[in-house]
Amino acid sequence: ERRALQAQLAASEHDAERSQGEYRRRMAALRAILEDLGFLKGAVPTEKGLLASRIYGENSLIITEAITDGWLAELTPAELAASVVMVTAEDRNRDRPQARRRLPTSAVALAQKRLRVIYYRFSARERDRGENNFRPLSSDYVDFVYDWCSGLPLPAMQPPPGVDLGDAVKAVKGLYSALRQI
């Protein structure tokens, strides 16, 4: 019984050491990614890093980069909301083949392209370092949010195809939270 407990203790200590090593490796990788992207300089957050620290969410770095690039300021409030929801909402139709969608305005279409460039650039940095934390952009709720922010009453709106109204409202709540933090 003593030998079994000693073996169990040794295995547990080995697992703890391995976990600590993995934790250190991930922290070093994440720190390097943040430095590569300009959110940290050494161990100190840059101005961009401080802004990102106030925005909570999986893709807060993408939103921060879009803000610092300055092009979000060109959008109307409805276009801004429709663009930011691409980053904040979870893609419910990711596995379904999708026809190319027409977005509500050309400014939203341009914002989607710019957000994709940021997403792919940031995701590539993560992959290079063995991490994968960014959630893909979602266009599921763009029209719903654009219509709502343009003044269409909620009872007159239809959720996106294949999406529950509750999920659409949840996407709007996540968007609202992100916009308040910004």
mmCIF file of all heavy atoms in Angstrom, residues 86 90-103 112 116 136-143 159-163:
data_model
loop_
_atom_site.group_PDB
_atom_site.id
_atom_site.type_symbol
_atom_site.label_atom_id
_atom_site.label_comp_id
_atom_site.label_asym_id
_atom_site.label_seq_id
_atom_site.Cartn_x
_atom_site.Cartn_y
_atom_site.Cartn_z
ATOM 1 N N MET A 86 -19.562 41.624 -35.586
ATOM 2 C CA MET A 86 -18.820 40.553 -36.266
ATOM 3 C C MET A 86 -17.729 39.979 -35.367
ATOM 4 O O MET A 86 -17.378 38.812 -35.467
ATOM 5 C CB MET A 86 -18.172 41.078 -37.546
ATOM 6 C CG MET A 86 -19.110 41.442 -38.637
ATOM 7 S SD MET A 86 -18.160 42.010 -40.065
ATOM 8 C CE MET A 86 -19.208 43.308 -40.670
ATOM 9 N N GLU A 90 -20.744 35.112 -31.468
ATOM 10 C CA GLU A 90 -20.292 33.776 -31.856
ATOM 11 C C GLU A 90 -20.985 33.370 -33.142
ATOM 12 O O GLU A 90 -22.195 33.550 -33.297
ATOM 13 C CB GLU A 90 -20.626 32.781 -30.751
ATOM 14 C CG GLU A 90 -20.091 31.406 -31.017
ATOM 15 C CD GLU A 90 -20.347 30.454 -29.871
ATOM 16 O OE1 GLU A 90 -20.713 30.897 -28.773
ATOM 17 O OE2 GLU A 90 -20.187 29.240 -30.086
ATOM 18 N N ASP A 91 -20.226 32.814 -34.065
ATOM 19 C CA ASP A 91 -20.748 32.385 -35.358
ATOM 20 C C ASP A 91 -21.570 31.109 -35.176
ATOM 21 O O ASP A 91 -21.024 30.055 -34.890
ATOM 22 C CB ASP A 91 -19.587 32.156 -36.325
ATOM 23 C CG ASP A 91 -20.036 31.968 -37.750
ATOM 24 O OD1 ASP A 91 -21.252 31.895 -37.996
ATOM 25 O OD2 ASP A 91 -19.170 31.887 -38.631
ATOM 26 N N ARG A 92 -22.878 31.210 -35.330
ATOM 27 C CA ARG A 92 -23.765 30.050 -35.160
ATOM 28 C C ARG A 92 -23.836 29.189 -36.413
ATOM 29 O O ARG A 92 -24.208 28.037 -36.358
ATOM 30 C CB ARG A 92 -25.180 30.510 -34.792
ATOM 31 C CG ARG A 92 -25.258 31.221 -33.492
ATOM 32 C CD ARG A 92 -25.009 30.244 -32.393
ATOM 33 N NE ARG A 92 -25.264 30.903 -31.113
ATOM 34 C CZ ARG A 92 -25.057 30.341 -29.961
ATOM 35 N NH1 ARG A 92 -24.611 29.123 -29.888
ATOM 36 N NH2 ARG A 92 -25.290 30.997 -28.860
ATOM 37 N N ASN A 93 -23.525 29.755 -37.562
ATOM 38 C CA ASN A 93 -23.656 29.023 -38.826
ATOM 39 C C ASN A 93 -22.297 28.689 -39.449
ATOM 40 O O ASN A 93 -22.183 28.542 -40.645
ATOM 41 C CB ASN A 93 -24.487 29.852 -39.812
ATOM 42 C CG ASN A 93 -25.911 30.008 -39.355
ATOM 43 O OD1 ASN A 93 -26.515 29.055 -38.885
ATOM 44 N ND2 ASN A 93 -26.452 31.209 -39.457
ATOM 45 N N ARG A 94 -21.264 28.564 -38.625
ATOM 46 C CA ARG A 94 -19.910 28.355 -39.112
ATOM 47 C C ARG A 94 -19.774 27.095 -39.969
ATOM 48 O O ARG A 94 -19.062 27.074 -40.954
ATOM 49 C CB ARG A 94 -18.956 28.269 -37.919
ATOM 50 C CG ARG A 94 -17.517 28.171 -38.300
ATOM 51 C CD ARG A 94 -16.609 28.106 -37.094
ATOM 52 N NE ARG A 94 -16.969 29.123 -36.130
ATOM 53 C CZ ARG A 94 -16.875 28.970 -34.827
ATOM 54 N NH1 ARG A 94 -16.421 27.867 -34.319
ATOM 55 N NH2 ARG A 94 -17.222 29.929 -34.001
ATOM 56 N N ASP A 95 -20.477 26.024 -39.595
ATOM 57 C CA ASP A 95 -20.305 24.748 -40.283
ATOM 58 C C ASP A 95 -21.145 24.613 -41.543
ATOM 59 O O ASP A 95 -20.957 23.684 -42.312
ATOM 60 C CB ASP A 95 -20.632 23.597 -39.324
ATOM 61 C CG ASP A 95 -19.704 23.582 -38.119
ATOM 62 O OD1 ASP A 95 -18.548 24.033 -38.272
ATOM 63 O OD2 ASP A 95 -20.129 23.143 -37.039
ATOM 64 N N ARG A 96 -22.066 25.519 -41.752
ATOM 65 C CA ARG A 96 -22.919 25.454 -42.936
ATOM 66 C C ARG A 96 -22.271 26.183 -44.092
ATOM 67 O O ARG A 96 -21.706 27.255 -43.910
ATOM 68 C CB ARG A 96 -24.267 26.114 -42.663
ATOM 69 C CG ARG A 96 -25.071 25.406 -41.639
ATOM 70 C CD ARG A 96 -26.422 26.075 -41.544
ATOM 71 N NE ARG A 96 -26.973 25.789 -40.237
ATOM 72 C CZ ARG A 96 -27.909 26.480 -39.656
ATOM 73 N NH1 ARG A 96 -28.423 27.519 -40.265
ATOM 74 N NH2 ARG A 96 -28.359 26.164 -38.478
ATOM 75 N N PRO A 97 -22.376 25.615 -45.296
ATOM 76 C CA PRO A 97 -21.865 26.367 -46.454
ATOM 77 C C PRO A 97 -22.740 27.604 -46.653
ATOM 78 O O PRO A 97 -23.958 27.532 -46.573
ATOM 79 C CB PRO A 97 -22.014 25.394 -47.626
ATOM 80 C CG PRO A 97 -22.901 24.299 -47.150
ATOM 81 C CD PRO A 97 -22.907 24.318 -45.652
ATOM 82 N N GLN A 98 -22.082 28.723 -46.887
ATOM 83 C CA GLN A 98 -22.826 29.976 -46.991
ATOM 84 C C GLN A 98 -22.592 30.613 -48.352
ATOM 85 O O GLN A 98 -21.470 30.656 -48.845
ATOM 86 C CB GLN A 98 -22.364 30.940 -45.902
ATOM 87 C CG GLN A 98 -22.580 30.410 -44.529
ATOM 88 C CD GLN A 98 -23.298 31.410 -43.655
ATOM 89 O OE1 GLN A 98 -23.377 32.573 -43.979
ATOM 90 N NE2 GLN A 98 -23.815 30.942 -42.553
ATOM 91 N N ALA A 99 -23.679 31.119 -48.907
ATOM 92 C CA ALA A 99 -23.559 31.912 -50.124
ATOM 93 C C ALA A 99 -22.974 33.267 -49.726
ATOM 94 O O ALA A 99 -23.124 33.709 -48.596
ATOM 95 C CB ALA A 99 -24.928 32.094 -50.757
ATOM 96 N N ARG A 100 -22.328 33.892 -50.645
ATOM 97 C CA ARG A 100 -21.766 35.214 -50.357
ATOM 98 C C ARG A 100 -22.916 36.167 -50.044
ATOM 99 O O ARG A 100 -23.850 36.325 -50.825
ATOM 100 C CB ARG A 100 -20.972 35.689 -51.565
ATOM 101 C CG ARG A 100 -20.150 36.895 -51.293
ATOM 102 C CD ARG A 100 -19.111 37.019 -52.391
ATOM 103 N NE ARG A 100 -18.500 38.309 -52.370
ATOM 104 C CZ ARG A 100 -17.361 38.567 -51.746
ATOM 105 N NH1 ARG A 100 -16.734 37.609 -51.127
ATOM 106 N NH2 ARG A 100 -16.853 39.763 -51.769
ATOM 107 N N ARG A 101 -22.829 36.791 -48.888
ATOM 108 C CA ARG A 101 -23.905 37.663 -48.408
ATOM 109 C C ARG A 101 -23.671 39.107 -48.824
ATOM 110 O O ARG A 101 -22.545 39.546 -48.888
ATOM 111 C CB ARG A 101 -23.974 37.637 -46.883
ATOM 112 C CG ARG A 101 -24.318 36.357 -46.291
ATOM 113 C CD ARG A 101 -24.290 36.453 -44.782
ATOM 114 N NE ARG A 101 -24.239 37.813 -44.309
ATOM 115 C CZ ARG A 101 -25.148 38.396 -43.537
ATOM 116 N NH1 ARG A 101 -26.142 37.710 -43.095
ATOM 117 N NH2 ARG A 101 -25.054 39.642 -43.167
ATOM 118 N N ARG A 102 -24.749 39.786 -49.018
ATOM 119 C CA ARG A 102 -24.679 41.222 -49.275
ATOM 120 C C ARG A 102 -24.851 41.922 -47.929
ATOM 121 O O ARG A 102 -25.825 41.706 -47.227
ATOM 122 C CB ARG A 102 -25.778 41.630 -50.247
ATOM 123 C CG ARG A 102 -25.721 43.055 -50.642
ATOM 124 C CD ARG A 102 -26.677 43.303 -51.805
ATOM 125 N NE ARG A 102 -26.776 44.701 -52.097
ATOM 126 C CZ ARG A 102 -25.933 45.369 -52.872
ATOM 127 N NH1 ARG A 102 -24.929 44.727 -53.426
ATOM 128 N NH2 ARG A 102 -26.089 46.654 -53.096
ATOM 129 N N LEU A 103 -23.903 42.741 -47.566
ATOM 130 C CA LEU A 103 -23.942 43.455 -46.290
ATOM 131 C C LEU A 103 -24.743 44.743 -46.459
ATOM 132 O O LEU A 103 -24.922 45.228 -47.578
ATOM 133 C CB LEU A 103 -22.513 43.706 -45.802
ATOM 134 C CG LEU A 103 -21.762 42.409 -45.480
ATOM 135 C CD1 LEU A 103 -20.288 42.687 -45.226
ATOM 136 C CD2 LEU A 103 -22.372 41.702 -44.296
ATOM 137 N N GLN A 112 -15.767 44.738 -42.753
ATOM 138 C CA GLN A 112 -15.595 43.288 -42.662
ATOM 139 C C GLN A 112 -14.247 42.865 -43.253
ATOM 140 O O GLN A 112 -13.536 42.052 -42.671
ATOM 141 C CB GLN A 112 -16.734 42.572 -43.384
ATOM 142 C CG GLN A 112 -16.621 41.052 -43.291
ATOM 143 C CD GLN A 112 -17.670 40.350 -44.112
ATOM 144 O OE1 GLN A 112 -17.892 40.696 -45.277
ATOM 145 N NE2 GLN A 112 -18.331 39.370 -43.507
ATOM 146 N N ARG A 116 -11.251 41.179 -41.140
ATOM 147 C CA ARG A 116 -10.677 39.883 -41.551
ATOM 148 C C ARG A 116 -9.166 39.962 -41.677
ATOM 149 O O ARG A 116 -8.464 39.038 -41.291
ATOM 150 C CB ARG A 116 -11.282 39.421 -42.874
ATOM 151 C CG ARG A 116 -12.625 38.803 -42.717
ATOM 152 C CD ARG A 116 -13.072 38.187 -44.013
ATOM 153 N NE ARG A 116 -14.343 37.545 -43.821
ATOM 154 C CZ ARG A 116 -15.245 37.391 -44.758
ATOM 155 N NH1 ARG A 116 -15.002 37.821 -45.987
ATOM 156 N NH2 ARG A 116 -16.384 36.800 -44.504
ATOM 157 N N PRO A 136 -13.334 33.031 -34.779
ATOM 158 C CA PRO A 136 -13.576 33.570 -36.127
ATOM 159 C C PRO A 136 -14.651 34.649 -36.111
ATOM 160 O O PRO A 136 -15.542 34.653 -35.261
ATOM 161 C CB PRO A 136 -14.056 32.355 -36.925
ATOM 162 C CG PRO A 136 -13.614 31.169 -36.157
ATOM 163 C CD PRO A 136 -13.550 31.588 -34.717
ATOM 164 N N LEU A 137 -14.565 35.552 -37.066
ATOM 165 C CA LEU A 137 -15.570 36.602 -37.200
ATOM 166 C C LEU A 137 -16.906 35.980 -37.603
ATOM 167 O O LEU A 137 -16.951 34.945 -38.252
ATOM 168 C CB LEU A 137 -15.139 37.614 -38.258
ATOM 169 C CG LEU A 137 -13.811 38.320 -38.022
ATOM 170 C CD1 LEU A 137 -13.527 39.282 -39.161
ATOM 171 C CD2 LEU A 137 -13.797 39.032 -36.701
ATOM 172 N N SER A 138 -17.981 36.635 -37.226
ATOM 173 C CA SER A 138 -19.323 36.150 -37.536
ATOM 174 C C SER A 138 -20.101 37.224 -38.274
ATOM 175 O O SER A 138 -20.131 38.380 -37.864
ATOM 176 C CB SER A 138 -20.062 35.807 -36.239
ATOM 177 O OG SER A 138 -21.425 35.535 -36.511
ATOM 178 N N SER A 139 -20.747 36.825 -39.348
ATOM 179 C CA SER A 139 -21.616 37.776 -40.050
ATOM 180 C C SER A 139 -23.092 37.449 -39.817
ATOM 181 O O SER A 139 -23.963 38.050 -40.429
ATOM 182 C CB SER A 139 -21.284 37.783 -41.546
ATOM 183 O OG SER A 139 -21.462 36.489 -42.085
ATOM 184 N N ASP A 140 -23.357 36.515 -38.906
ATOM 185 C CA ASP A 140 -24.734 36.082 -38.645
ATOM 186 C C ASP A 140 -25.663 37.216 -38.239
ATOM 187 O O ASP A 140 -26.828 37.229 -38.615
ATOM 188 C CB ASP A 140 -24.773 35.028 -37.535
ATOM 189 C CG ASP A 140 -24.191 33.698 -37.960
ATOM 190 O OD1 ASP A 140 -24.004 33.490 -39.167
ATOM 191 O OD2 ASP A 140 -23.930 32.868 -37.067
ATOM 192 N N TYR A 141 -25.182 38.149 -37.441
ATOM 193 C CA TYR A 141 -26.061 39.138 -36.821
ATOM 194 C C TYR A 141 -25.914 40.535 -37.408
ATOM 195 O O TYR A 141 -26.498 41.489 -36.891
ATOM 196 C CB TYR A 141 -25.789 39.190 -35.312
ATOM 197 C CG TYR A 141 -25.925 37.826 -34.676
ATOM 198 C CD1 TYR A 141 -24.799 37.069 -34.375
ATOM 199 C CD2 TYR A 141 -27.177 37.300 -34.405
ATOM 200 C CE1 TYR A 141 -24.926 35.811 -33.807
ATOM 201 C CE2 TYR A 141 -27.304 36.042 -33.837
ATOM 202 C CZ TYR A 141 -26.176 35.295 -33.543
ATOM 203 O OH TYR A 141 -26.307 34.054 -32.995
ATOM 204 N N VAL A 142 -25.155 40.684 -38.464
ATOM 205 C CA VAL A 142 -24.877 42.005 -39.033
ATOM 206 C C VAL A 142 -26.160 42.721 -39.435
ATOM 207 O O VAL A 142 -26.397 43.867 -39.030
ATOM 208 C CB VAL A 142 -23.899 41.898 -40.220
ATOM 209 C CG1 VAL A 142 -23.773 43.226 -40.953
ATOM 210 C CG2 VAL A 142 -22.543 41.414 -39.744
ATOM 211 N N ASP A 143 -27.006 42.077 -40.226
ATOM 212 C CA ASP A 143 -28.238 42.719 -40.685
ATOM 213 C C ASP A 143 -29.186 42.997 -39.519
ATOM 214 O O ASP A 143 -29.799 44.068 -39.456
ATOM 215 C CB ASP A 143 -28.947 41.848 -41.728
ATOM 216 C CG ASP A 143 -28.169 41.754 -43.029
ATOM 217 O OD1 ASP A 143 -27.515 42.750 -43.402
ATOM 218 O OD2 ASP A 143 -28.197 40.687 -43.663
ATOM 219 N N PRO A 159 -34.949 37.329 -36.820
ATOM 220 C CA PRO A 159 -33.575 36.881 -36.568
ATOM 221 C C PRO A 159 -32.991 36.272 -37.842
ATOM 222 O O PRO A 159 -33.728 35.916 -38.761
ATOM 223 C CB PRO A 159 -33.744 35.835 -35.468
ATOM 224 C CG PRO A 159 -35.148 35.364 -35.579
ATOM 225 C CD PRO A 159 -35.928 36.523 -36.122
ATOM 226 N N PRO A 160 -31.683 36.160 -37.903
ATOM 227 C CA PRO A 160 -31.054 35.555 -39.079
ATOM 228 C C PRO A 160 -31.560 34.124 -39.283
ATOM 229 O O PRO A 160 -31.950 33.462 -38.323
ATOM 230 C CB PRO A 160 -29.560 35.557 -38.727
ATOM 231 C CG PRO A 160 -29.422 36.559 -37.639
ATOM 232 C CD PRO A 160 -30.709 36.583 -36.907
ATOM 233 N N PRO A 161 -31.560 33.643 -40.519
ATOM 234 C CA PRO A 161 -32.011 32.266 -40.775
ATOM 235 C C PRO A 161 -31.202 31.258 -39.945
ATOM 236 O O PRO A 161 -29.979 31.357 -39.848
ATOM 237 C CB PRO A 161 -31.744 32.065 -42.266
ATOM 238 C CG PRO A 161 -31.616 33.433 -42.838
ATOM 239 C CD PRO A 161 -31.140 34.317 -41.733
ATOM 240 N N GLY A 162 -31.905 30.327 -39.332
ATOM 241 C CA GLY A 162 -31.247 29.291 -38.545
ATOM 242 C C GLY A 162 -30.793 29.740 -37.171
ATOM 243 O O GLY A 162 -30.054 29.033 -36.499
ATOM 244 N N VAL A 163 -31.207 30.944 -36.761
ATOM 245 C CA VAL A 163 -30.784 31.489 -35.471
ATOM 246 C C VAL A 163 -32.025 31.820 -34.652
ATOM 247 O O VAL A 163 -32.978 32.409 -35.157
ATOM 248 C CB VAL A 163 -29.912 32.761 -35.662
ATOM 249 C CG1 VAL A 163 -29.589 33.402 -34.334
ATOM 250 C CG2 VAL A 163 -28.644 32.420 -36.415
#
